[in-house]
Amino acid sequence: MISLSVKHGHVLPFVSEDEIRIFEREIKLHRDHIYHKSGKGSEFLGWVDLPENTEADLLENIESDARRIRKQSDAVVVVGIGGSYLGSRAVIEALSCSFPGENGTAHPKIIFAGHHLDEDYLHELLQWLDNRTYSIIVISKSGTTTEPALAFRLLRRHLEKKAGKKEAARRIFAITDASKGALKKLADSQGYATYTIPDDVGGRYSVLTPVGLLPIAVAGFDIRELMEGARRMAVHLRNNEALADNPAALYAVIRNVLLNKGMSTEIMASYNPAMQYMIEWWKQLFGESEGKEGKGIFPAGVVFTTDLHSMGQYIQEGQRHLFETVLTIGKSKHTLEIPEDPDDDDGLNYLAGKRISYVNRMASGGTMLAHVDGGVPNIELILPELNAAGLGELIYFYEMACALSGYMLGVNPFDQPGVEAYKRNMFALLEKPGFEEAGKALKKRL
Ligand code: PA5
């Protein structure tokens, strides 16, 4: 099971055990609000029970559709933005092989669209799809988000032209609200297979619903293992109230203690590039959940050692408002030893016989100590192995930690009112019906 390490030398010089212990009672209250569904945003606490309450029938349907999609497609385009794509992308990228066509690589190829408005990307995607047999999974809880709606319109037209309307309808899967939104209306009228996003699960907490599970299953990964890992973590966190035994609560407390000492930016660091999108998902989860009412810890992400050659200088010696959480993978999937070289021209023979993962571990250890010495507290989150079950544990751990941390901050961790501001302005500038007057005023300011 994943564990949280707050070693004396790494966190405790910055935070005393008493400063942590003082929050035992407060955490108990927040846990009650979560488990009894009585806190702020309680109408969005459906994620708490997903690992234990997801019906076997739903998993079977997802697996059966995934088999059909895999059989009928060279590529699958997953259309969605924010919580509607980051979770599946995080899991798929973490579990896939780094190079196409090798063992463990997702087949069919999974492509993401609808998560930005780049014309060149969409043009090149449509061109690439000209010569491919493909399916579409379109995901939007509201069913009205502009980015995925536009991408879906283009993709749907492309697929209908290529395969015919009837065949296109067989190749399109919609994941949306049970009754509301344009996507639901469209799916019903066109006869697309649909999955429902439960009313009480918000976008960024939806990876363990069909939103994440269908694309992950299509990529060929085991969604039952993922759910089993999440279930194990859910049971562990529910049964262990004491901070010392509850890593999600301990993580939430330490972050807030550090914030109160002026450390307002958290950097999630991984030494495994496969975790890059897991970090992106984490950024969205914590950024959208906590950043409101002038509060919140700014979530940033780095992949080391790559970013030690870009962000390392700042982390070591820049403004001291940072703390780091290092997401360590305990064991590599493969073994690669450094060979002996008879000439040793590159001076690396001192590493001969050692594994690359050993060098990576020493880089991680050395960096943690350097950053701690430079005034940056380091929490370590250890995932023993990179597999579906471990990712399930990690996802649930982060979700619970985020909810607790948001409650500690005093915000509603399940809404995102601030996301509307850019949408209103964009609609006004685009002269969407109903926004014309606001558009005139905004255009003068551009
Ligand atoms: O977490 C959230 O609620 C958001 O990030 C949404 O997932 C994102 O805005 C996409 O919304 P929708 O699924 O309604 O298209």
Side-chain angles (χ1 to χ4, degrees):
M1 178 161 278
I2 64 168
S3 58
L4 191 77
S5 165
V6 287
K7 279 193 201 118
H8 271 267
H10 295 183
V11 177
L12 296 180
F14 305 93
V15 177
S16 74
E17 295 197 38
D18 282 348
E19 283 173 311
I20 295 174
R21 218 174 294 122
I22 222 166
F23 286 98
E24 288 275 5
R25 270 175 60 114
E26 185 180 327
I27 281 291
K28 185 179 169 349
L29 280 178
H30 298 319
R31 276 169 52 88
D32 285 350
H33 283 143
I34 290 171
Y35 290 118
H36 298 138
K37 300 199 173 24
S38 56
K40 279 188 184 170
S42 58
E43 66 278 25
F44 287 113
L45 280 163
W47 58 271
V48 175
D49 310 311
L50 284 173
E52 288 165 277
N53 287 357
T54 298
E55 305 273 349
D57 278 2
L58 176 63
L59 295 180
E60 265 155 40
N61 286 345
I62 290 174
E63 285 167 341
S64 143
D65 276 338
R67 275 193 296 275
R68 176 155 81 83
I69 298 173
R70 284 167 66 77
K71 217 159 139 195
Q72 72 185 16
S73 326
D74 304 329
V76 177
V77 188
V78 177
V79 182
I81 194 165
S84 288
Y85 95 104
L86 277 167
S88 65
R89 187 162 196 176
V91 173
I92 292 169
E93 302 237 346
L95 296 178
S96 294
C97 176
S98 314
F99 298 95
E102 298 307 315
N103 236 0
T105 302
H107 176 86
K109 189 158 180 53
I110 311 292
I111 312 281
F112 293 89
H115 52 301
H116 53 64
L117 292 165
D118 186 62
E119 186 160 350
D120 291 340
Y121 180 92
L122 285 167
H123 179 87
E124 288 163 17
L125 173 60
L126 294 175
Q127 237 173 15
W128 187 83
L129 291 170
D130 277 345
N131 304 316
R132 305 246 166 8
T133 306
Y134 70 99
S135 302
I136 301 172
I137 301 175
V138 55
I139 308 169
S140 177
K141 179 158 185 191
S142 62
T144 54
T145 308
T146 310
E147 293 90 337
L150 276 176
F152 182 52
R153 177 183 277 211
L154 292 166
L155 285 157
R156 178 162 52 97
R157 283 291 147 83
H158 183 272
L159 187 56
E160 284 172 354
K161 211 163 133 204
K162 198 169 143 67
K165 247 186 140 173
K166 202 162 151 219
E167 179 58 15
R170 269 182 22 87
R171 292 174 170 276
I172 295 174
F173 296 76
I175 306 178
T176 187
D177 187 81
S179 55
K180 293 189 301 284
L183 180 58
K184 173 67 183 159
K185 228 166 98 195
L186 189 62
D188 286 348
S189 75
Q190 300 297 314
Y192 304 149
T194 50
Y195 284 94
T196 297
I197 309 174
D199 281 345
D200 57 359
V201 180
R204 59 190 174 277
Y205 284 84
S206 68
V207 52
L208 301 177
T209 72
V211 170
L213 298 177
L214 183 62
I216 293 167
V218 169
F221 300 115
D222 191 336
I223 55 171
R224 286 176 196 262
E225 251 191 60
L226 184 83
M227 290 301 267
E228 174 52 23
R231 193 197 61 79
R232 266 201 315 259
M233 182 54 73
V235 170
H236 179 79
L237 296 180
R238 197 183 49 233
N239 292 346
N240 288 281
E241 189 168 273
L243 282 176
D245 304 318
N246 186 315
L250 183 59
Y251 175 53
V253 167
I254 291 175
R255 310 175 75 242
N256 279 277
V257 174
L258 292 171
L259 174 65
N260 292 336
K261 290 173 182 251
M263 290 167 197
S264 56
T265 297
E266 177 177 11
I267 302 173
M268 185 64 59
S270 170
Y271 285 76
N272 303 83
M275 299 308 276
Q276 186 182 345
Y277 269 89
M278 188 51 75
I279 294 176
E280 290 302 318
W281 173 81
W282 167 83
K283 274 163 60 180
Q284 191 223 355
L285 180 66
F286 279 76
E288 263 190 4
S289 299
E290 293 193 322
K292 51 198 71 159
E293 301 172 31
K295 299 179 186 172
I297 296 170
F298 184 82
V302 289
V303 175
F304 290 155
T305 62
T306 313
D307 290 332
L308 286 173
H309 297 260
S310 67
M311 299 305 291
Q313 173 61 39
Y314 190 105
I315 297 169
Q316 191 67 47
E317 294 182 347
Q319 274 196 63
R320 301 298 73 188
H321 59 100
L322 309 171
F323 66 97
E324 253 175 325
T325 300
V326 179
L327 181 51
T328 297
I329 310 288
K331 206 161 108 191
S332 305
K333 281 188 240 162
H334 308 287
T335 303
L336 188 59
E337 273 185 14
I338 299 159
E340 177 89 31
D341 187 294
D343 301 326
D344 197 24
D345 289 342
D346 52 12
L348 289 175
N349 268 356
Y350 76 103
L351 292 174
K354 301 266 190 320
R355 286 177 59 178
I356 294 289
S357 55
Y358 169 78
V359 181
N360 206 18
R361 245 192 348 268
M362 293 307 108
S364 162
T367 306
M368 278 200 252
L369 292 176
H371 288 178
V372 167
D373 291 345
V376 179
N378 265 242
I379 303 166
E380 192 180 9
L381 190 55
I382 302 161
L383 184 61
E385 231 176 304
L386 187 47
N387 54 30
L391 291 176
E393 285 182 20
L394 187 64
I395 285 167
Y396 196 88
F397 161 86
Y398 276 140
E399 288 178 343
M400 183 56 79
C402 185
L404 288 168
S405 186
Y407 279 166
M408 288 186 75
L409 277 168
V411 300
N412 175 354
F414 309 112
D415 65 2
Q416 54 286 327
V419 179
E420 295 309 310
Y422 102 88
K423 289 189 194 168
R424 273 196 306 273
N425 284 354
M426 180 176 75
F427 292 152
L429 292 170
L430 289 169
E431 295 171 38
K432 184 174 174 173
F435 290 81
E436 297 89 339
E437 279 312 304
K440 280 183 202 146
L442 280 186
K443 276 189 178 150
K444 288 190 194 136
R445 287 178 55 203
L446 266 188

